[in-house]
Amino acid sequence: MQYFPPALEKLTEQFAKLPGIGSKSAQRLAFYVLSMQDSEAEDFANAIVTAKRAVTCCPVCQNLTQGDGPCGICASPKRDHTVVCVVAEPKDVVAFERMREYNGLYHVLHGVISPMNHVGPDDLKIRELVQRVTQGTLQEVIMATNPDTEGEATAMYLSRLLKPFGVKITRLAYGIPVGGHLEYADDATLMRALEGRREM
Amino acid sequence: MQYFPPALEKLTEQFAKLPGIGSKSAQRLAFYVLSMQDSEAEDFANAIVTAKRAVTCCPVCQNLTQGDGPCGICASPKRDHTVVCVVAEPKDVVAFERMREYNGLYHVLHGVISPMNHVGPDDLKIRELVQRVTQGTLQEVIMATNPDTEGEATAMYLSRLLKPFGVKITRLAYGIPVGGHLEYADDATLMRALEGRREM
């Protein structure tokens, strides 16, 4: 039985579709929208439609961008166009950019290979990466997928796929995180840190 | 510095304005919108604008409704039009309706008197309630605001305001909740339960 006006119920349903929003939260959000100014609610609605329409993938690196043509990073003459960092998600690009140390390009896969979730190589932007490698300007491809099972498998898959093109393929270092405590480090991380030890 | 396309940042900001949604959640929701079908995103945007436009307050009970004229409850000839239950929020009407035992009308105040939050009697739908009482058809007004300080104060204020009109004013019973445990009941509740004891 519907206890609220249909338009309110419908808005609640829409909010409930969002990830991490349960029916109680959805109701609270719908009520909040009712309490907004008319103009605020319209701004919100417009932001949804505009984001959906205006945000596209860069034809080169597949990162999110706005407008036609390559994104700001791909188009910048200041960046090193011989190195590409392969990441799973646009959020990972943000993590690298925040560091302000990396000056190469990116390639966003938009996911990782995950048979459990029915995501195969064809569902990712792998074809586009191969195309970039075959163009010959790239000298190094840095695999920067997450250090979990699926990220690992994806990095391994790509490294085997790209090696025949004669490009240098690297993987981010594993080890204990800066500021971390040895006593809390898990065995796998500690083992990798030991394996990857460097002379000082 | 903006790391994402402006339209995406803007949508994230809009989500971050919602209550209980922090910046990380807002970003997650904005990304989810990007992953929606075009039609889904438009439905979502439309639901916001439609809810804001179509949902109004019933001119009689002030509960949320859609369309002009009194709401379904106020217009129903099956309901007892001599009893009105005064609640703070539309959600409270839902709690009563879910019970399926109450057959009277409602009056939604849209808040409680709260000097801390600068909400005075004039900010609530109290004038409309007084108007209903002066019309003379009401025989009983049930105060069903929450049993907390502000709900209590509001009930007290209204009862003093309405008594001169010769209408019967009642308050929901206090006591131990059904299924509750005496050992966990707080002192105030237990005291009220004792005070309100009835012969069996």
Side-chain angles (χ1 to χ4, degrees):
Chain A
M1 188 181 162
Q2 282 197 330
Y3 295 111
F4 291 120
L8 182 59
E9 293 279 358
K10 202 165 173 199
L11 181 56
T12 305
E13 275 167 35
Q14 290 287 346
F15 273 120
K17 282 185 193 170
L18 300 176
I21 307 281
S23 61
K24 281 272 172 189
S25 299
Q27 198 178 75
R28 195 164 39 88
L29 295 177
F31 270 108
Y32 181 78
V33 168
L34 289 188
S35 74
M36 280 177 167
Q37 300 290 325
D38 276 1
S39 62
E40 283 180 309
E42 271 165 36
D43 284 350
F44 185 19
N46 283 338
I48 291 170
V49 175
T50 309
K52 187 68 195 139
R53 274 199 207 130
V55 176
T56 54
C57 281
C58 166
V60 182
C61 72
Q62 310 297 327
N63 192 10
L64 298 176
T65 183
Q66 209 163 331
D68 297 328
C71 69
I73 294 174
C74 288
S76 167
K78 289 185 187 164
R79 314 280 306 206
D80 182 353
H81 283 242
T82 64
V83 186
V84 71
C85 178
V86 178
V87 295
E89 300 290 348
K91 289 171 204 177
D92 301 328
V93 172
V94 174
F96 272 89
E97 287 297 289
R98 221 167 21 210
M99 178 180 63
R100 291 162 193 270
E101 278 294 327
Y102 178 68
N103 195 34
L105 304 180
Y106 295 95
H107 192 87
V108 182
L109 296 173
H110 289 276
V112 282
I113 296 172
S114 169
M116 292 274 283
N117 301 313
H118 306 286
V119 181
D122 292 342
D123 302 314
L124 307 177
K125 304 289 185 182
I126 290 178
R127 203 173 299 113
E128 291 80 356
L129 177 60
V130 173
Q131 213 164 29
R132 289 177 79 179
V133 171
T134 53
Q135 280 164 1
T137 50
L138 291 180
Q139 288 170 14
E140 182 177 356
V141 178
I142 304 170
M143 293 297 161
T145 50
N146 283 324
D148 54 13
T149 324
E150 294 172 346
E152 225 26 62
T154 307
M156 196 70 81
Y157 175 88
L158 287 178
S159 115
R160 284 188 194 159
L161 189 72
L162 300 176
K163 274 234 172 91
F165 296 103
V167 69
K168 183 176 166 193
I169 297 180
T170 55
R171 180 89 175 103
L172 289 186
Y174 293 102
I176 45 171
V178 178
H181 287 77
L182 279 183
E183 59 175 321
Y184 299 127
D186 59 298
D187 292 350
T189 303
L190 207 55
M191 198 182 72
R192 298 294 196 115
L194 191 66
E195 276 174 11
R197 69 189 180 278
R198 290 163 63 175
E199 209 169 319
M200 53 181 295
Chain B
M1 187 178 163
Q2 281 197 331
Y3 295 109
F4 291 119
L8 183 58
E9 292 278 358
K10 201 163 173 201
L11 181 56
T12 306
E13 275 166 35
Q14 291 287 345
F15 274 120
K17 281 185 193 170
L18 300 176
I21 306 282
S23 61
K24 281 271 171 190
S25 299
Q27 199 178 73
R28 194 164 41 88
L29 296 177
F31 270 107
Y32 181 78
V33 168
L34 289 189
S35 74
M36 281 176 168
Q37 300 291 326
D38 276 2
S39 63
E40 283 180 310
E42 270 164 38
D43 284 351
F44 185 19
N46 284 339
I48 291 170
V49 176
T50 309
K52 186 66 196 147
R53 273 198 207 131
V55 177
T56 54
C57 279
C58 166
V60 181
C61 72
Q62 311 298 326
N63 193 10
L64 297 177
T65 182
Q66 208 163 331
D68 298 327
C71 69
I73 294 174
C74 287
S76 166
K78 289 184 188 166
R79 314 275 312 203
D80 181 353
H81 284 242
T82 64
V83 186
V84 70
C85 178
V86 178
V87 295
E89 301 290 348
K91 290 170 204 179
D92 302 328
V93 172
V94 174
F96 272 89
E97 287 297 289
R98 218 165 25 210
M99 177 180 63
R100 290 163 194 271
E101 277 295 326
Y102 178 69
N103 195 35
L105 305 179
Y106 296 95
H107 191 87
V108 182
L109 297 172
H110 288 276
V112 283
I113 297 171
S114 169
M116 293 274 284
N117 299 314
H118 307 285
V119 181
D122 292 342
D123 301 313
L124 307 177
K125 305 289 187 183
I126 290 179
R127 202 172 300 114
E128 290 81 355
L129 177 61
V130 174
Q131 213 164 31
R132 289 178 80 179
V133 171
T134 54
Q135 280 164 1
T137 50
L138 291 182
Q139 288 171 12
E140 181 176 358
V141 178
I142 304 169
M143 292 298 160
T145 50
N146 283 325
D148 53 15
T149 324
E150 294 172 345
E152 225 28 60
T154 308
M156 197 69 81
Y157 174 89
L158 288 177
S159 114
R160 283 187 195 159
L161 189 73
L162 300 176
K163 275 235 173 93
F165 296 101
V167 70
K168 183 177 167 191
I169 297 179
T170 54
R171 180 89 174 102
L172 289 186
Y174 294 102
I176 43 170
V178 178
H181 286 78
L182 279 184
E183 58 175 321
Y184 300 127
D186 60 297
D187 293 351
T189 303
L190 206 55
M191 197 184 71
R192 298 293 196 115
L194 191 65
E195 276 174 12
R197 68 188 181 276
R198 290 164 64 174
E199 208 167 320
M200 53 185 291

